Structure formats: C-alpha cells, structure tokens
Amino acid sequence: MPRTFPLDKCRNIGIIAHIDAGKTTTTERILFYTGRTYRIGSVDDGTTVTDWMAQERERGITIVSAAVTAEWKGYQINVIDTPGHIDFTAEVQRSLRVLDGGVVIFDAVQGVEPQSETVWRQADRYLVPRICFVNKMDRTGASFERTIESIRLRLGANPIPMQLPIGEESGFRGVVDLLTMRATVWDDELGKEPIESDIPANLKTGAEEARNVMVEKIAEFDDDLIMKFLEGHSISIEELKSVLRKAVIENKATPVFAGSSLKNKGVQPVLDAVIDYLPSPLEIPAAKGYAPDDSETLLERPVDDNAPLAALVFKIVADPYVGRLAYFRVYSGKVVQGEAVLNPAKGRRERIGRMVRMYADRREDITEVYAGDIGAVLGLKDSFTGDTLTDPKDPIILESITFPEPVISIAVEPKTTADQDRMAEALRRLAEEDPTFKVRTDESTAQTIISGMGELHLDIIVDRMMREFRVQANVGRPRVSYRETISRAVPEINYKYAKQSGGHGQYGHVVFSMEPLERGNGVKFENKIIGGSIPKEYIPAVEKGVKEAAESGIIAGYPVTDILVRLIDGSYHEVDSSEMAFKMASIFAFKEGMQRGGPTLLEPIMKVEVVVPEEYLGDIIGQLNARRGEIQGMEIRPGNAQAVRALVPLAEMFGYTTDLRSATQGRGVQTMEFDHYASVPESVKAKVTNS
C-alpha cells in the first residue's frame, strides 16, 4: 500500500493543556472542520470522539490520550488529545516523546495554570515546537494580553501574538490576522463559514501597532529581515512566515492565536498555523540511539522509508475485545504486516500481526506504517512502553521514556475466590498499560497494594477493574508512598558472607561505601573494584543484591531511594564463591550501611494551587498552614479571586477538597501535583512507623 501523503505534508501534533482549558472541545472542532465528523460532540453531553471511555464521559475529563487522523488543505494531521489532570501526566509525557509539535491551549480567564506549566516543561524536555491557542475568549474576565503576559513571565517563553481579538468577553466575534491585516468573523452557529472583511475602524490603529511589534519580533530571528525592518522596507508575508517557521521549529518563538472552541470561533486559523509553523517529520532531528552491544557509540536513523527500521512503542492499551494493542511511532524504515522485528532491549523477536490506524476507539486496518507515521499493532508478546522495535540485521535502541514514581497506594482484595484470579489478570493488564501504576504484595499482611499518581488515578483504575474485567473487590483507604534514605555517608561497610555445610560452602565478601544523593536520583550502584579482588562475573550479582535490598528499608519497610552504593573492595574463594553468596553479602552489607547511615523517612511533597474568592483568603492560608503547608506565593486572578501556591505533604491533603468546599461555600478549587520528596519531621515519623 503506497504512502498516502508525502512526508513534508504530514504533521504529528498533540493537544496539551491544563485540565478544563478546552483540549477535547478543540479536538472535536478540528475533526468537524476537517470533515472527519458530521456533528460536533460535546464534553458535557458525553458525545465526543476522543473521550470514548465510560469513565471519561461520566466525569467530563480526558483520562487516556486518544489518537485521531484528519486532513486539512492537502495535509495529513495526526492529532493526539492528551489528558489535563496531573494524575494522568504519564499519558502526556509519552505522547510528547513521539510527537513533532504541540498546540498548547490556555484558558483566557485563568492564563497559565499549574498543569500548563507541567506540560510546558515536559515539552521543553523533549524539544517539542509549539503554537499557543488562547481559548474561551468569550468568557467574562477573558484577556488575550494578560494570558500572553503570563506565558512570557511564568513559562519564560517568547510568545508572538499573530492575531488581535474582535470584541471582548460575550461580545467576542472574531480576530484580526496581523499577517494579512484582514478581519475574520464567525457569525454562523457551527463556525463553518468565516466571513473575511476589512479591519473595523476602531481596531485599525491598534492592529497596525500590534503588527509592527509582531514584524519586529519575527525579524529579530533573521539578519537580512532585521535590516529590512530597520531601514523601513516592506517585508512580504512569505518572508515572515518562513522565518517564523524556522524560529518555531528551533523552539525560539511561539505564535499565539485566539478563539473560543465552544462557540466555534478561531479553530480554522489554528489548523492553518499547524501546517504553516509546526514541523513535518523531515524537519525534526534524526532519531538517535545505541547499538545493543555498544552503549558508547551514538547511532542516527534518518527519516526515510528505505532506511533500517527504528520504531518506539509509546503506549499499551488493554483492549477488552482484541487484546493488547501497542501504539508505536516509526522514526525510520517501515513496519510491514507479517514481517519479523527485533526488540533489542530484551533480545526477543516479534512478528507484526494485524496493524491498525486508530481513530479514538475505532480501528482502520492497514498493512504498512511508514517513517514519520504513528500506528498500532496487535499481538506483541514482549514489547511494552518505551521499547524499541528495530531491523534484526541492523539493530538500534532508541532513548526510552522515563516516568515519575507513584506517590499514593491503596489495598484491594477480591470479594470472592472466583474474583481472585480475575483481579490478578486485570491488575497485570492495567499495569502493562500504565507505567505509573504499580502492583505489589505486602509481605507482612499478604494484601495486594496498588500505587498510582493520585486519588483520582486509583479511583479510575479500580473502576476499570470492576467494569471492564468484571472484578468485585473491596478497597482500602488511600496511603502515602513513603521512601527511606540515609542522612550521612558511611565510608566503609565490610561484610563477609560465609556458610559451611556438607560439600561446597558459600563465600562472598564485599566492601561498600554509601552516601546520600540529592532528591530524585534513586538508587545508584558503582563498581570501583581495581585489580580483580572480586571477579567480573560476580559484579552483576552484587548489584542485584543492592537493588533487591533497596526494595525494603529498615525504618518501616518502605523502598530506599537517593543513595549511592560504591563497591570498593572484597574477596572471593576459588571453590565456595557463587553469585548467590555475593548477592546475600550485598543484601546484608546494604542493611548494615542503612543502620549506620542515619536512616530517615521521606514523604512526597505536593505542589498545590488553591483559587478562592478574596474574602476566603485568610481561612485558606490558615487551612494550608494547619496541614504543614509552606506558602510559596499568591497571585490575583480575574473576578476578585486569589490563587495561593503552596508546598504541602501529601499525607495532609487527603480529604482537603471537602474542607475547601465547606470553607468557601463550594467556590474554591484546588489542583495538586507531585513536586519532590522531603524528610519527615520526627513527630510525624513516630506516627508513620507505629501505624
């Protein structure tokens, strides 16, 4: 099957934003105006294409990212609508890893909100070029200028307004295009027939001033253009577009557009901007990776259908009808149905079975996926999120995707014996699908503990387990995922594991040093053995022992983190030494090092933002202080409201939404996301260890 669109006419974009900024509503309009749907779905009515899960439609929020494909003016646009709630941040992260560009949506009343910052930083990390859409221009308190200023100040971005709104708040009717200096107004109910006209007289002066600012900002990216501008020569629209496109792709500028998706105004110019300013797969850097047997030499794969295959699995979906579905992005070569590919990280071959192009929850069968495109395949046995699929003759391992660790846990237990096996299978499939969802068995209580990114995250998981997999279960109260670490360095731990029995004995001798690391570094192991005092073949067993011991600390059995273990010396016995002996020596040495290193308990600290009417400000600050909160700052919001930013331990945030609503007569809202781990005060530590 030949390629439908040439590579330079393909765009892979994500719709990203804070919760409730209008991502799904905007995606619905994109599908309608590109002819993929014949009616506009509503989030409130639960009739949208991309929010297809029952849980999404009931709650009116996006939970899983959904992929759709549309065509606009001869271009193919692959769109991924991502969640806005922080509990589902992994969905945004893995989508950004494989996308070439992003449309970031902002609420014109609220401006930059907490999750807007999070997704912006994630896009920075993956160097994703972006355009901005200031949505909800029709709402009371909406301000295009204030939103742009908050993008500049809070995100450190370089926003360039490409439009000027016509009308304010409920009077918003359209926009002035500062490139063409023409006005576009949407008067029909569905917004399908925009009316282009001259700029209204009352906006002409403001539009000319705004255009001068825009032209100067764009001209700064090109020496020839800035000279033209300074000398007063006219600059063509094509020149401005060309220079701005280059600046956007290099992440030096972000064009900003205005509209109201719900009122069907301003979406078509955003589609034009996706084509004009966001890159095709040909314009992003070549995929980089390493050979399976050489992690030092960097390899590159060009965006070419005839190059060796390099594809990244970025999402697994446990589909109740067809089984496990793996989404992948092809960076070079092509994936062909029936062919064998290699998963080099696991050294396993996979056969490509049925392939589909996803349209939200609907599937269109395809036989080939080309370089620069996104597809999904059924039946992969050993490949999961972050794995590479590659040509067996010319393998490469692409950079994987890293995800944050879960911060909250609950216990679940099946109601009947029949539910027991079903629950184990359901949790296994859900964990395969979501890398931020973890399942483990508590050794002391034999309970099944599930962990995730927040209360809503676990609530959705349990709901899916009960509905999709028909498991009846009892659910415990939420618990905090604490961590343990050491507070001081231990220069030497000398441990000799020697057992003598009939026949061969067991002998392993290790000498460690241990030191605390900065927060967020996990457990690191370094081999500093010189001269072969421990043979090379035993070093992996030593590392395995360290990692295994770190799974359970000595204060209350929580996982150990932020610690560096160096293997500095040791000895072995020609006959009695074994991998098991060195592993056991490492486990005991690690536990001893923890005892001597001043063990301390760490708790997750959340970044909280509370928006309340000004008259409740004092009460809210009092509430946060009482919950061990540390106030970081305040900001005035439209409508006589105040936004309070604070760092608060997660343990103190359970049930806070109810208290907030009670204190503000239901008018306060809060958002919360994980920020870092910090030491637990002694008074709290005593409660945790005794509970």
Side-chain angles (χ1 to χ4, degrees), residues 3-17:
R3 182 188 278 282
T4 316
F5 288 84
L7 263 177
D8 62 336
K9 290 191 178 291
C10 292
R11 300 288 183 271
N12 294 312
I13 65 160
I15 310 290
I16 54 179

Side-chain angles (χ1 to χ4, degrees), residues 541-588:
V542 174
E543 183 173 1
K544 192 176 179 185
V546 167
K547 294 288 168 72
E548 202 171 291
E551 289 173 8
S552 175
I554 62 168
I555 300 174
Y558 291 105
V560 177
T561 190
D562 303 336
I563 196 167
L564 171 64
V565 178
R566 283 195 185 92
L567 176 60
I568 52 177
D569 203 358
S571 64
Y572 72 104
H573 188 278
E574 289 283 357
V575 178
D576 291 350
S577 284
S578 66
E579 288 186 1
M580 178 56 74
F582 274 102
K583 181 182 161 187
M584 294 307 296
S586 303
I587 290 172
F588 288 118

Side-chain angles (χ1 to χ4, degrees), residues 109-110 139-142 146 169 611-616 635-643 667:
V109 179
Q110 301 296 338
R139 285 184 59 200
T140 304
R146 188 180 63 241
E169 299 179 347
V611 181
V612 292
E614 194 161 11
E615 60 263 36
Y616 301 111
E635 191 178 292
I636 297 170
R637 288 284 171 87
N640 196 33
Q642 288 272 1
R667 293 161 69 191

Side-chain angles (χ1 to χ4, degrees), residues 35 92 541 596:
V92 186
R596 289 164 51 192

Side-chain angles (χ1 to χ4, degrees), residues 281-356:
L282 289 169
E283 293 167 298
I284 61 166
K288 295 180 176 63
Y290 298 94
D293 53 355
D294 180 7
S295 60
E296 301 297 320
T297 310
L298 195 65
L299 303 176
E300 286 196 354
R301 288 284 190 269
V303 184
D304 183 348
D305 297 341
N306 299 313
L309 172 65
L312 185 76
V313 176
F314 68 94
K315 180 177 166 71
I316 299 291
V317 174
D319 191 300
Y321 302 107
V322 295
R324 194 151 65 82
L325 194 65
Y327 284 71
F328 60 89
R329 161 75 190 262
V330 182
Y331 286 94
S332 72
K334 59 186 175 185
V335 178
V336 181
Q337 189 172 328
E339 287 193 352
V341 298
L342 175 69
N343 178 338
K346 299 197 171 124
R348 304 296 291 270
R349 286 190 176 229
E350 299 268 22
R351 183 155 295 279
I352 300 297
R354 181 185 170 197
M355 286 199 297
V356 292

Side-chain angles (χ1 to χ4, degrees), residues 437-451:
F437 171 62
K438 299 278 196 273
V439 184
R440 66 180 176 87
T441 303
D442 189 307
E443 298 290 337
S444 56
T445 63
Q447 283 182 309
T448 300
I449 307 295
I450 62 174
S451 305

Side-chain angles (χ1 to χ4, degrees), residues 394-441:
D394 194 354
I396 184 174
I397 299 178
L398 301 174
E399 181 197 348
S400 190
I401 312 171
T402 54
F403 296 101
E405 285 295 312
V407 294
I408 185 171
S409 305
I410 55 173
V412 290
E413 57 183 35
K415 284 190 175 177
T416 66
T417 310
D419 285 315
Q420 192 152 2
D421 290 341
R422 280 208 300 270
M423 187 178 90
E425 175 63 12
L427 292 177
R428 182 186 67 78
R429 289 174 65 179
L430 290 167
E432 284 179 1
E433 187 176 312
D434 185 348
T436 58
F437 171 62
K438 299 278 196 273
V439 184
R440 66 180 176 87
T441 303

